[in-house]
Amino acid sequence: MSAIEPDSFAGLRNLGVRSKQMLKTAGILSAEQLQKIGSVAAFFAVQQSNAASKPSLNLLWALEGALSCRDWKDIANDSPTKLVLLMQLDDLKKQTSFTPAHQNSMR
């Protein structure tokens, strides 16, 4: 008989079974890891590792809500918060898509 795996995201709201599975597939295995990297980097990691399922922005709102103890719908309806999150996501995408290979081709 195997031991029951404890919920490593216990205590975080907004995260259902599917969200937790996507986080784990992305290598984010605990609430502590999620807190350390933040909602935007976690969402980006999930997008990269779960490309076939195309996670929606609702996951980003849920992750931010989980870290700030707010309902994901409050995040989704808060335009300034959404704008900041989307700008951070855009910056992260730009940073990771600009590799040394791109630098060489621009010379």
Side-chain angles (χ1 to χ4, degrees), residues 12-14 35 61-71 75:
L12 293 181
R13 63 189 302 171
N14 303 317
Q35 181 71 41
W61 315 147
L63 293 170
E64 180 62 24
L67 294 176
S68 62
C69 298
R70 294 172 61 194
D71 189 271
I75 304 292

Side-chain angles (χ1 to χ4, degrees), residues 53-101:
S53 64
K54 298 182 181 180
S56 75
L57 287 173
N58 286 343
L59 178 62
L60 177 57
W61 315 147
L63 293 170
E64 180 62 24
L67 294 176
S68 62
C69 298
R70 294 172 61 194
D71 189 271
W72 73 271
K73 293 174 199 160
D74 293 340
I75 304 292
N77 292 323
D78 183 356
S79 295
T81 300
K82 278 180 25 180
L83 181 59
V84 169
L85 291 170
L86 291 173
M87 288 172 55
Q88 290 174 349
L89 181 60
D90 188 54
D91 286 346
L92 185 58
K93 286 180 179 181
K94 287 176 184 174
Q95 290 171 12
T96 58
S97 67
F98 194 76
T99 63

Side-chain angles (χ1 to χ4, degrees), residues 8-9 11-12 15 23 28-42 63-69:
S8 54
F9 296 99
L12 293 181
L15 301 180
L23 287 168
I28 303 164
L29 306 177
S30 68
E32 292 78 22
Q33 282 182 304
L34 178 59
Q35 181 71 41
K36 185 176 180 178
I37 68 170
S39 60
V40 174
L63 293 170
E64 180 62 24
L67 294 176
S68 62
C69 298

